[in-house]
Amino acid sequence: MPTVLFANANRESRGLYAWPLSSYGFEVETAADGLECLANRRRVVPVLLILDLGLPWGGGDGVLGVLREDPRLLPTRVVLSSAVPPAHFLDRPAWHPVVQTLTKPFSLSALFERAALAAFLEQEQLSLWRECGGPGRRGRRPGRGARL
C-alpha cells in the first residue's frame, strides 16, 4: 500500500486531509512539525510528501534542506503548501523534489488534483473520485454532504 506523508501544524487539517487519502487505499502518516516529519520520513518511504512551508521546528524549507542533504531520505514527490501564493515562492532555486504547490486554504479537490498530477493516483482511482463527487465538492467533510 503506497504511503503519503502529510506534514502540517494544524491538527484539524491533518485529520481532514488524511481521512480521504486513507479511504482511497493509501497509508497516511502525519507530522505536526519539521522534526516529526523527518523522523517519520526516516521510518517510512512515502510516494508523496505534502509539506507545509510554515511547519514549526524547522519549517518546510528546513525539511527540504535536510532531505536534499541525504538523497536516501528523498520521497518520490513533494507537494508544497503555503499561505503565500505560489508565484512568491516558486522562484526560489533548487526546488527538486517539489513538483506541485498548494495555496492555503486549499480544498480536498485541489489536494487530489495535485496528488494525481504529482505521481500516484491511477487513472481508475481518479475517475472513481470524480464520480463520487470530485472537484465540485470543495473541501466538505465526509458525513456533511461530501460523497468521497
Side-chain angles (χ1 to χ4, degrees):
M1 176 181 300
T3 302
V4 174
L5 177 53
F6 189 85
N8 190 299
N10 185 299
R11 180 177 33 187
E12 288 182 14
S13 292
R14 290 191 309 272
L16 175 66
Y17 296 115
W19 184 87
L21 289 169
S22 65
S23 70
Y24 276 92
F26 300 100
E27 186 73 30
V28 180
E29 295 285 333
T30 62
D33 60 48
L35 296 175
E36 186 178 9
C37 179
L38 290 170
N40 287 353
R41 176 53 196 95
R42 286 182 177 100
R43 191 173 44 79
V44 298
V45 180
V47 294
L48 183 68
L49 167 59
I50 302 166
L51 180 63
D52 182 18
L53 263 180
L55 215 54
W57 291 97
D61 285 335
V63 170
L64 284 173
V66 171
L67 294 177
R68 286 188 191 113
E69 287 177 14
D70 187 351
R72 295 173 298 169
L73 294 179
L74 283 176
T76 304
R77 307 271 193 274
V78 174
V79 172
L80 199 59
S81 71
S82 174
V84 178
H88 291 105
F89 62 87
L90 280 181
D91 59 354
R92 296 181 187 183
W95 276 106
H96 175 75
V98 177
V99 295
Q100 294 287 323
T101 60
L102 287 166
T103 301
K104 294 192 289 185
F106 52 86
S107 66
L108 288 172
S109 62
L111 174 62
F112 276 106
E113 289 291 334
R114 296 310 187 288
L117 293 172
F120 67 97
L121 286 177
E122 296 294 330
Q123 189 60 39
E124 294 169 19
Q125 289 173 305
L126 186 57
S127 295
L128 176 62
W129 169 67
R130 286 189 173 137
E131 288 174 15
C132 294
R137 302 281 182 206
R138 299 255 170 203
R140 292 186 187 163
R141 288 180 187 250
R144 294 188 182 176
R147 294 177 304 162
L148 297 173

